[in-house]
Amino acid sequence: MKNKELSKKPWGGRFTEQTAATAETFSASIHFDLRLYRHDIAGSKAHAKMLANVGLISDSELEQILGGLTEIESEIESNTFVFRPELEDIHMNIEKALVEKVGSAGEKLHTARSRNDQVALDIRLYLREVSRQLIGLLENLQKGFVLLAREYLGCIMPGYTHLQRAQPVLLSHHLLAYFEMFKRDKERLSDCLKRINVLPLGSAALAGTSLPIDRDFVARELGFPEISANSMDAVSDRDFIVEFLAACGLIQVHLSRFSEELILWTSQEFGFAEIADRYCTGSSIMPQKKNPDMPELIRGKSGRVTGNLVAVMTLLKGLPLTYNRDLQEDKEPVFDTVDTVSQSLTVMAEVLTGLSFDRETLHQATDTGFMTATDLAEYLVRKNIPFRQAHAIVGKAVAYSIESSKELTDLTLEELQDFHPEISEDVFVVLESGGSVNSRDTYGGTAIAQVKKSLEKAETDLGIE
Ligand code: ARG
């Protein structure tokens, strides 16, 4: 070796110059991929066990490798490990440290392995872990919605379309709509886990290896139910990352939609709800202010989470097979999404624990805005009047009420009968919001009987007593 310094790079054999400082700084990923150290070590341990099992390394070499890797892991955890940016990434930092600890046994670890299949393995192990954590956080949030739905069961509020008062609904029905959204989010992550949970190791650089490896052994060691079927696909596939980022994108969008509702509901214009002081902030100039910053930030962060999905889609778009260094750019969007979505789920679940509703204001809001007009039309349908005619008749009644500054409930029976002679005394039940809500008693509707069933099902799903 002419230049001792050159030997520092594990791949330095054919090089005659040092890497330029700019190139080294530009290409290093250690400052973010160090997050994968546990997964890298777990993957290396499984790989080493396999190498020993097929006779590519001896049992004593295996012992040294396992011992060295365990030491490195505890050094990283106790912050005594020195990360070296000139070693680019987490894979080479750990490998180099291992060689320094155990010598030639360490130099055998990378047998039949490339960083291409190694990094694919690490990110899959990482995503498998965080997907499960996110499912747990989603469940915790769902629990918050269920507990509120239970607490406020029977409370009536306006349901909206176009943000205009539409029909009275139960607050619990509204809250359980979010239970459903987050249920789908869990399903999406579970489904995505099927594609994440595939072992790429053994693909080597791109074409497999001539050495007698045992991929099934590694899959069993690491708990992968499946092994990648094509080495070229395995080292360049990041579809599972796109799926994961899309699933997370939707989680954040759901959180953002609820945030928007909280921001509206807690405004003085609505006055429907109040967020506990501990999750609000004040103004540095206006002493009276209490601002819903947590939902605002959650809503705001949906921008970066959506952006991360677009970033990785764009990253993959022009890539020929197989591994290209571009793929290193997959990690920061993933980490940022994981951090953002985890924190948002955690904060929102806490905000729910400190959320209270003003039952009176919610109920009163259903008294105005002709919210039972549809009920009156359906009442006429039950009297055998075709729906389109019923719609027109009620439209006239609404116009009359607006003209005379009244609500439908203020009209006398005689006034109502002017619009249709079939209208009789029993009409007043459907004109009142409680009667209106409970009449929508079909599966998935807002009647209390239906909502109770949904609530019970949700409680069983989550194992809530
Ligand atoms: N740091 C790299 C990445 O994240 C690891 C794989 C490097 N492979 C290579 N052939 N340079 O993608």
Side-chain angles (χ1 to χ4, degrees):
M1 197 76 60
K2 272 195 206 149
N3 182 338
K4 258 191 152 192
E5 282 299 293
L6 288 179
S7 68
K8 266 191 171 175
K9 303 270 197 244
W11 42 253
R14 62 102 71 207
F15 284 76
T16 55
E17 275 191 320
Q18 281 295 348
T19 317
T22 44
E24 217 166 64
T25 308
F26 186 64
S27 58
S29 56
I30 187 64
H31 54 290
F32 54 83
D33 67 16
L34 64 86
R35 194 191 280 232
L36 298 173
Y37 77 91
R38 272 190 296 111
H39 314 89
D40 196 70
I41 288 171
S44 286
K45 283 184 170 176
H47 182 68
K49 285 181 197 167
M50 182 278 290
L51 292 176
N53 203 253
V54 300
L56 283 167
I57 62 172
S58 70
D59 287 346
S60 105
E61 285 167 332
L62 173 64
E63 285 313 303
Q64 294 174 58
I65 291 173
L66 296 181
L69 288 172
T70 302
E71 265 180 45
I72 291 169
E73 187 162 0
S74 40
E75 285 169 19
I76 295 177
E77 255 143 37
S78 61
N79 278 324
T80 54
F81 188 88
V82 182
F83 289 103
R84 288 175 279 183
E86 69 275 16
L87 291 172
E88 283 180 35
D89 54 28
I90 187 63
H91 323 295
M92 291 203 297
N93 266 273
I94 290 175
E95 190 188 328
K96 187 81 174 172
L98 181 68
V99 172
E100 282 166 9
K101 275 187 196 299
V102 304
S104 68
E107 287 181 319
K108 288 193 177 181
L109 174 62
H110 212 52
T111 307
R113 187 175 74 169
S114 155
R115 273 185 297 154
N116 299 351
D117 58 347
Q118 187 178 358
V119 72
L121 170 65
D122 291 3
I123 195 87
R124 283 174 184 271
L125 286 171
Y126 170 77
L127 283 181
R128 184 169 78 178
E129 184 180 296
V130 296
S131 297
R132 290 173 182 158
Q133 287 165 357
L134 285 172
I135 290 172
L137 291 177
L138 283 164
E139 231 148 67
N140 182 46
L141 179 66
Q142 280 184 303
K143 200 171 167 181
F145 281 103
V146 166
L147 293 180
L148 281 171
R150 186 199 259 178
E151 183 181 348
Y152 288 94
L153 192 64
C155 174
I156 292 174
M157 71 179 292
Y160 294 83
T161 64
H162 312 268
L163 200 57
Q164 307 288 323
R165 288 182 188 171
Q167 291 189 291
V169 294
L170 289 185
L171 170 59
S172 303
H173 197 50
H174 193 134
L175 294 169
L176 289 176
Y178 285 93
F179 173 89
E180 296 295 327
M181 285 184 227
F182 294 116
K183 181 177 167 184
R184 291 195 294 276
D185 288 330
K186 284 195 305 186
E187 289 167 0
R188 248 183 298 277
L189 282 177
S190 301
D191 195 64
C192 179
L193 262 170
K194 290 184 215 153
R195 258 91 54 203
I196 290 173
N197 217 356
V198 178
L199 175 78
L201 204 68
S203 304
L206 75 159
T209 172
S210 64
L211 296 165
I213 57 168
D214 181 350
R215 299 189 69 199
D216 293 297
F217 179 97
V218 181
R220 274 195 305 278
E221 274 296 310
L222 294 171
F224 283 105
E226 224 182 294
I227 297 177
S228 61
N230 182 307
S231 60
M232 297 181 75
D233 179 41
V235 295
S236 65
D237 172 29
R238 297 293 184 274
D239 295 358
F240 59 97
I241 292 185
V242 170
E243 283 187 52
F244 174 83
L245 292 177
C248 286
L250 212 38
I251 294 172
Q252 195 71 26
V253 163
H254 290 155
L255 287 170
S256 182
R257 294 184 71 173
F258 186 65
S259 295
E260 174 69 16
E261 308 229 51
L262 282 183
I263 292 160
L264 290 171
W265 289 350
T266 56
S267 68
Q268 270 157 38
E269 283 67 17
F270 276 77
F272 287 177
E274 186 164 356
I275 298 173
D277 279 4
R278 62 186 180 277
Y279 301 117
C280 294
T281 61
S283 157
S284 54
I285 179 169
M286 299 168 285
Q288 86 284 9
K289 290 299 293 285
K290 174 175 167 182
N291 298 326
D293 295 38
M294 300 308 127
E296 285 175 315
L297 279 167
I298 290 171
R299 185 176 61 181
K301 284 174 192 289
S302 53
R304 63 201 287 162
V305 175
T306 305
N308 289 337
L309 168 64
V310 175
V312 174
M313 290 280 270
T314 313
L315 158 68
L316 293 177
K317 174 189 170 290
L319 291 190
L321 290 182
T322 56
Y323 179 83
N324 299 276
R325 189 65 181 271
D326 313 48
L327 290 172
Q328 180 167 294
E329 288 290 308
D330 63 356
K331 282 167 214 66
E332 284 163 295
V334 166
F335 297 152
D336 183 61
T337 283
V338 168
D339 292 345
T340 306
V341 174
S342 306
Q343 282 186 41
S344 302
L345 284 168
T346 306
V347 169
M348 186 57 94
E350 281 193 37
V351 167
L352 291 189
T353 64
L355 188 64
S356 53
F357 289 93
D358 186 332
R359 296 168 197 264
E360 203 45 36
T361 305
L362 283 165
H363 197 131
Q364 273 168 14
T366 66
D367 292 342
T368 49
F370 313 100
M371 295 188 68
T372 54
T374 312
D375 298 275
L376 180 54
E378 287 179 358
Y379 170 91
L380 292 171
V381 166
R382 286 195 289 277
K383 305 266 177 189
N384 210 23
I385 293 155
F387 180 73
R388 274 288 155 245
Q389 287 178 30
H391 188 289
I393 292 165
V394 178
K396 291 206 178 84
V398 169
Y400 169 81
S401 307
I402 294 172
E403 186 89 339
S404 43
S405 303
K406 288 177 177 173
E407 285 294 321
L408 287 174
T409 35
D410 301 328
L411 301 184
T412 63
L413 186 57
E414 291 67 37
E415 280 174 303
L416 285 163
Q417 281 169 342
D418 278 349
F419 296 100
H420 203 280
E422 288 279 349
I423 295 177
S424 55
E425 195 63 47
D426 58 354
V427 74
F428 292 106
V429 182
V430 307
L431 289 181
E432 178 271 316
S433 56
S436 154
V437 164
N438 283 328
S439 70
R440 279 190 283 284
D441 197 9
T442 46
Y443 182 75
T446 193
I448 190 138
Q450 295 297 332
V451 174
K452 265 188 185 155
K453 275 188 216 158
S454 310
L455 188 55
E456 275 161 26
K457 193 170 173 307
E459 286 168 345
T460 312
D461 271 15
L462 297 177
I464 302 177
E465 292 293 294

